[in-house]
Amino acid sequence: MRHILSLLLENEAGALSRVAGLFSARGYNIESLTVAPTEDPTLSRMTIVTSGSEEVIEQITKQLNKLIDVVKVFDLNEGNHIERELMLVKVRAEGKDREELKRTADIFRGRIIDVTDRTYTIELTGPRDKLDAFLDAIDRSQILETVRTGASGIGRGEWVLRV
Amino acid sequence: MRLTGAEITIQCLQEEGVEFVFGYPGGAVLYIYDALFNQDKVKHILVRHEQAALHAADAYARASGRTGVALVTSGPGVTNAVTGIATAYMDSIPMVIISGQVPTPAIGLDAFQEVDTVGITRPCVKHNFLVKHVDELASTIKKAFYVAASGPPGPVLVDIPKDVSQHIAEFVYPKSVSMRSYNPVTKGHSGQIKKAVQMLMEARRPMIYVGGGVILGNAAEQLTKLVRELGFPCTNTLMGLGAYPGTDPQFVGMLGMHGTYEANLAMQHCDVLLAVGARFDDRVIGNPQHFFSESRRIIHVDIDPSSISKRVRVDVPIVGNVADVLEEMQKLVNASSARPDATALKDWWKQIGEWRARDCLRYDRNSSLIKPQYVIEKLYEVTGGDAIVTSDVGQHQMWAAQYYKFDKPRRWLNSGGLGTMGFGLPAAMGAQMAFPEATVACVTGEASIQMCIQELSTCKQYHLPVKIINLNNRYLGMVRQWQQILHGNRYSESYMDALPDFVKLAESYGHVGVRIENPADVEPALREAFALKDRVVFMDFMTDQTENVFPMVKAGQGLTEMLLGAEDL
Ligand SMILES: Cc1ncc(C[n+]2csc(CCOP(=O)(O)OP(=O)(O)O)c2C)c(N)n1
């Protein structure tokens, strides 16, 4: 099953490679991994999207907790949560396609953030499925480039993950 | 007090009460060596290869329970040390490794003797640090010692660039450490402990399975008391030998790939299993599915949460310091009038007695060739069972584990997790440094000993009178055994041709060498060697080349699928 793990880790050189190294050394899947400093500059927040059986996810959580730079690990699947990803797509937009692409972007609440005579660059945020659905909705041959950040996750309601 | 980084490093070691540093100098650590030169509290042991420095520091830790310390230079110093770091990591040995690094401005520029030490060692350390500024040096070393010895112990490396060791800072050694990201659990969950004791009392066919964690956690005494009180059978893993006394009637021998018939069968057929400081690794439970073909309830006590339910699902996990958990169990047992069903337990022991009667460790005692098992039995007798025994890796290691009966913890030092050939001799040095008066024997093979043979020179320099028991079968014996059993007798590259004359070799290093070729000479040779209290004696026993280690569970097979002897091949 797909799991979203949220981590707080020391904002130190090498912390990222410890996490990434753990996943590759033990053969765990990484669908995506995002990381950036938090409001407390000594801490980074990481979201890892992974998949595996319950046993594997349990091991991943335990192994992450063993890393000295990891302050907290939480499996967002244990409660209600929100997941968002940012995608930038550059598409070929010529002639009658321009109108059609604009309409599709609107339906997905995307924004066109850059325009040339022949292209649009569209910005889209949402859960993974929504971004996938957008890519499915437009003609594949029009896609020139896609950039996705990978998911960031946060728990719903008043619950917070902090030190 | 204003000191250079190098002086701070040595001061920190003094503050930590470090007696010995095992190391090897080089460009990046010259300031640190200079600081060592100017004091006499911390004694440096100059090895002949960095791998040996690590193994010696590691064995010093295994034998004494204190944190081992090694010091190596950048680049090749570090890469040579990696085998030793990984060896310690796999067996959870508390160590601090100080490595030199090129000066900070040169990092990343492919400088002379630069390697990414933090990157190379990352997967085989508990943690590592690169010290970027001299102001952080003392607090980093303090953290390193704290992390190495607490929780599940392990090696911690501190990489010190040359300029950091040269720069000056105010020296203050922190009194305590607190790390928000590191708070190892020590106390077991009381509810779980209660549940565990209740389960033990309900057992009809109980079994206690004890690993190296009991030795590392200094819990042998608590364990022995509890096992005796309960009257249950007990097995030790390769790493756990000595945790429960090897001569005790409740001890059913080592378990696993080369475990005894009775230990493996009891493990498979028990109905309640208490695992303490052990991790159900693949050399113990080769085939988890086969293990679960019979049902039993499992209690697992370990300080490392990730060791629990990793390969084998358990029913009652207890994360905590094993000594404390065992003590709490003992209290509950004492306070309760409940005891396991005596008749059931009696029947269980009767069953175990029948398995024992197979006498799975018997061997041909009338052979005209020296049987390796016989050498170990005699070694046990001659040393009164009271030596610190180190070993290398191979058949000789298994025979030492099977035939030397360890009654006390920290007397059997071997590389169980990584299986590092070359461990034995430097380990013997480390143990001898920790206990100068102890009898230290290194059981080795003619292949393994050559992986760190240069350390005979270190033994000479520091007067470390270790005794080397070389079971010389002129083969990479364990490899040959697998090739015989699993690869149709095709002995691919497992014969060691062109062996040195070990007697002359030992003599050239200034030691005593003896070759023993007849069974009748085994005991007298051992007696003579161990009587030479202040000399290294290299005993080269020419053993039966065809002997195999039995019982044997082939890799990936079930515990009860044992080969018991040549007749099973
Ligand atoms: C560094 C290293 N390389 C290779 C191996 C694989 N290996 C395991 S046992 C063994 C043979 C050891 O031979 P020897 O030391 O003569 O001991 P014996 O098995 O004959 O008792 C080898 C090559 C290892 N464990 N360690």
Side-chain angles (χ1 to χ4, degrees):
Chain A
M1 203 179 115
R2 182 171 180 268
H3 280 249
I4 307 186
L5 306 178
S6 260
L7 278 74
L8 284 174
L9 60 161
E10 297 289 353
N11 187 9
E12 279 185 25
L16 169 62
S17 62
R18 288 180 209 280
V19 174
L22 171 71
F23 274 74
S24 63
R26 292 186 184 266
Y28 304 142
N29 297 315
I30 300 187
E31 184 186 301
S32 68
L33 184 156
T34 68
V35 62
T38 64
E39 76 284 0
D40 172 352
T42 67
L43 280 177
S44 296
R45 171 77 175 242
M46 183 182 275
T47 306
I48 304 174
V49 181
T50 180
S51 58
S53 63
E54 285 311 306
E55 286 79 21
V56 169
I57 300 294
E58 183 183 326
Q59 263 300 310
I60 293 178
T61 312
K62 286 174 170 175
Q63 294 292 348
L64 283 170
N65 269 313
K66 257 175 91 169
L67 295 178
I68 309 290
D69 283 339
V70 171
V71 186
K72 273 214 170 133
V73 181
F74 188 74
D75 183 351
L76 287 177
N77 287 44
E78 282 181 20
N80 283 332
H81 61 276
I82 302 165
E83 171 191 346
R84 288 293 179 271
E85 182 175 354
L86 168 69
M87 175 167 73
L88 304 176
V89 206
K90 193 171 285 184
V91 289
R92 182 175 295 114
E94 288 169 319
K96 63 173 180 21
D97 290 345
R98 284 178 90 82
E99 213 16 63
E100 179 64 22
L101 279 163
K102 169 97 178 56
R103 247 197 319 272
T104 314
D106 284 345
I107 293 170
F108 283 86
R109 295 186 206 288
R111 297 197 301 143
I112 296 173
I113 53 172
D114 191 35
V115 184
T116 72
D117 289 350
R118 297 160 63 188
T119 64
Y120 280 159
T121 301
I122 303 168
E123 171 196 322
L124 216 74
T125 54
R128 180 183 66 159
D129 326 353
K130 177 179 150 183
L131 306 190
D132 290 345
F134 176 76
L135 293 178
D136 287 341
I138 61 177
D139 184 350
R140 285 266 147 182
S141 68
Q142 291 175 318
I143 302 173
L144 299 171
E145 194 178 348
T146 56
V147 185
R148 298 174 67 151
T149 58
S152 292
I154 197 164
R156 274 195 190 278
E158 291 177 16
W159 182 86
V160 291
L161 177 64
R162 58 190 312 158
V163 186
Chain B
M1 198 170 23
R2 292 187 66 75
L3 299 176
T4 66
E7 290 163 343
I8 289 175
T9 306
I10 302 306
Q11 284 280 328
C12 291
L13 298 183
Q14 293 181 357
E15 293 277 347
E16 289 293 335
V18 172
E19 285 180 282
F20 301 113
V21 174
F22 299 85
Y24 207 88
V29 284
L30 281 175
Y31 289 105
I32 298 178
Y33 272 84
D34 204 34
L36 262 173
F37 190 77
N38 291 322
Q39 55 88 55
D40 53 11
K41 279 198 189 140
V42 178
K43 193 164 185 304
H44 181 271
I45 310 299
L46 178 69
V47 293
R48 300 298 181 264
H49 186 295
E50 287 87 351
Q51 178 184 351
L54 270 288
H55 291 331
D58 166 325
Y60 170 86
R62 290 180 202 237
S64 70
R66 296 190 288 271
T67 299
V69 180
L71 170 58
V72 298
T73 193
S74 69
V78 166
T79 54
N80 269 353
V82 167
T83 299
I85 300 174
T87 301
Y89 178 70
M90 286 296 275
D91 291 342
S92 288
I93 306 304
M95 291 227 292
V96 170
I97 303 106
I98 306 229
S99 56
Q101 181 56 279
V102 300
T104 42
I107 291 178
L109 302 178
D110 301 315
F112 177 63
Q113 297 196 326
E114 177 183 4
V115 289
D116 173 8
T117 300
V118 164
I120 284 183
T121 59
R122 196 188 58 229
C124 58
V125 291
K126 185 171 171 190
H127 196 55
N128 56 20
F129 300 91
L130 169 65
V131 183
K132 292 217 180 96
H133 199 279
V134 67
D135 292 342
E136 301 159 9
L137 184 56
S139 62
T140 304
I141 294 179
K142 176 84 190 174
K143 276 185 197 164
F145 275 92
Y146 168 62
V147 171
S150 55
V156 178
L157 179 139
V158 183
D159 200 24
I160 307 179
K162 188 166 184 178
D163 55 330
V164 171
S165 70
Q166 189 185 7
H167 291 158
I168 290 175
E170 183 66 25
F171 174 67
V172 201
Y173 200 59
K175 291 218 159 42
S176 62
V177 207
S178 94
M179 294 167 72
R180 64 177 170 188
S181 62
Y182 178 69
N183 297 294
V185 177
T186 52
K187 206 181 153 343
H189 188 282
S190 301
Q192 292 288 85
I193 297 176
K194 207 180 257 171
K195 211 156 119 191
V197 170
Q198 205 172 354
M199 206 174 263
L200 289 172
M201 294 310 171
E202 290 161 11
R204 302 179 64 81
R205 298 184 310 279
M207 178 71 171
I208 298 179
Y209 150 53
V210 173
V214 170
I215 293 173
L216 292 169
N218 296 316
E221 203 179 305
Q222 288 87 338
L223 174 96
T224 305
K225 202 168 153 216
L226 183 68
V227 175
R228 286 198 175 133
E229 170 71 36
L230 292 168
F232 292 174
C234 183
T235 178
N236 289 340
T237 66
L238 178 69
M239 297 310 295
L241 293 175
Y244 191 77
T247 55
D248 190 284
Q250 279 168 252
F251 184 61
V252 295
M254 181 171 80
L255 83 167
M257 183 172 269
H258 294 296
T260 64
Y261 186 68
E262 51 272 30
N264 284 348
L265 265 78
M267 191 75 180
Q268 181 73 9
H269 298 296
C270 66
D271 70 340
V272 173
L273 177 65
L274 170 62
V276 195
R279 58 189 182 98
F280 294 93
D281 78 282
D282 56 286
R283 287 305 193 250
V284 166
I285 304 295
N287 179 346
Q289 243 165 340
H290 177 277
F291 187 53
F292 278 113
S293 63
E294 270 174 75
S295 73
R296 67 186 78 64
R297 289 183 295 171
I298 305 179
I299 304 156
H300 191 177
V301 185
D302 204 286
I303 193 150
D304 179 2
S306 73
S307 282
I308 293 179
S309 292
K310 178 160 62 183
R311 298 188 71 244
V312 165
R313 274 257 142 219
V314 303
D315 302 279
V316 185
I318 304 172
V319 177
N321 185 328
V322 284
D324 297 345
V325 173
L326 289 169
E327 244 163 55
E328 206 172 323
M329 283 184 158
Q330 181 79 47
K331 272 194 206 135
L332 291 177
V333 170
N334 292 349
S336 153
S337 57
R339 283 296 177 271
D341 185 314
T343 336
L345 189 57
K346 210 169 136 214
D347 288 349
W348 179 228
W349 271 115
K350 190 163 157 263
Q351 171 66 74
I352 291 171
E354 283 166 24
W355 291 330
R356 251 184 192 157
R358 287 287 295 252
D359 192 12
C360 68
L361 295 180
R362 72 185 177 281
Y363 62 90
D364 178 8
R365 287 167 190 281
N366 304 318
S367 171
S368 60
L369 300 170
I370 298 179
K371 288 289 180 181
Q373 301 96 323
Y374 178 72
V375 179
I376 305 294
E377 278 185 349
K378 288 295 155 193
L379 172 68
Y380 174 74
E381 282 175 31
V382 168
T383 56
D386 209 25
I388 298 177
V389 180
T390 73
S391 90
D392 271 297
V393 175
Q395 292 181 314
H396 62 271
Q397 174 191 26
M398 293 303 132
W399 286 315
Q402 290 175 328
Y403 293 88
Y404 199 101
K405 296 186 266 299
F406 295 93
D407 274 341
K408 292 182 195 152
R410 302 191 182 279
R411 294 295 174 86
W412 164 240
L413 318 180
N414 83 132
S415 165
L418 198 67
T420 310
M421 289 169 69
F423 179 79
L425 178 55
M429 299 182 335
Q432 191 79 77
M433 293 302 307
F435 296 103
E437 301 306 320
T439 302
V440 179
C442 163
V443 175
T444 184
E446 78 293 340
S448 291
I449 191 70
Q450 292 189 77
M451 287 215 180
C452 272
I453 191 110
Q454 74 286 346
E455 297 308 318
L456 285 173
S457 169
T458 313
C459 292
K460 183 71 185 168
Q461 181 174 351
Y462 296 95
H463 311 290
L464 302 170
V466 305
K467 305 293 181 283
I468 298 163
I469 319 293
N470 189 35
L471 300 180
N472 188 341
N473 53 12
R474 284 80 74 206
Y475 272 114
L476 305 179
M478 189 55 96
V479 173
R480 187 202 54 72
Q481 174 167 347
W482 282 49
Q483 289 173 334
Q484 181 187 351
I485 296 173
L486 301 159
H487 298 274
N489 299 305
R490 290 181 298 280
Y491 297 142
S492 177
E493 307 296 327
S494 53
Y495 182 69
M496 286 294 258
D497 217 348
L499 286 169
D501 178 334
F502 286 108
V503 173
K504 283 195 187 139
L505 186 67
E507 285 169 358
S508 80
Y509 277 106
H511 302 311
V512 180
V514 216
R515 180 170 304 112
I516 303 100
E517 287 168 304
N518 292 306
D521 299 333
V522 169
E523 188 174 342
L526 284 165
R527 288 204 186 281
E528 224 170 288
F530 282 94
L532 290 175
K533 292 260 179 253
D534 54 354
R535 297 297 298 273
V536 171
V537 185
F538 192 116
M539 287 160 267
D540 190 21
F541 292 95
M542 309 307 279
T543 59
D544 183 350
Q545 290 191 275
T546 62
E547 193 55 271
N548 286 326
V549 183
F550 291 112
M552 175 179 181
V553 179
K554 292 189 221 167
Q557 293 220 314
L559 266 177
T560 54
E561 301 171 317
M562 263 171 287
L563 305 174
L564 288 177
E567 64 281 7
D568 284 347
L569 297 183

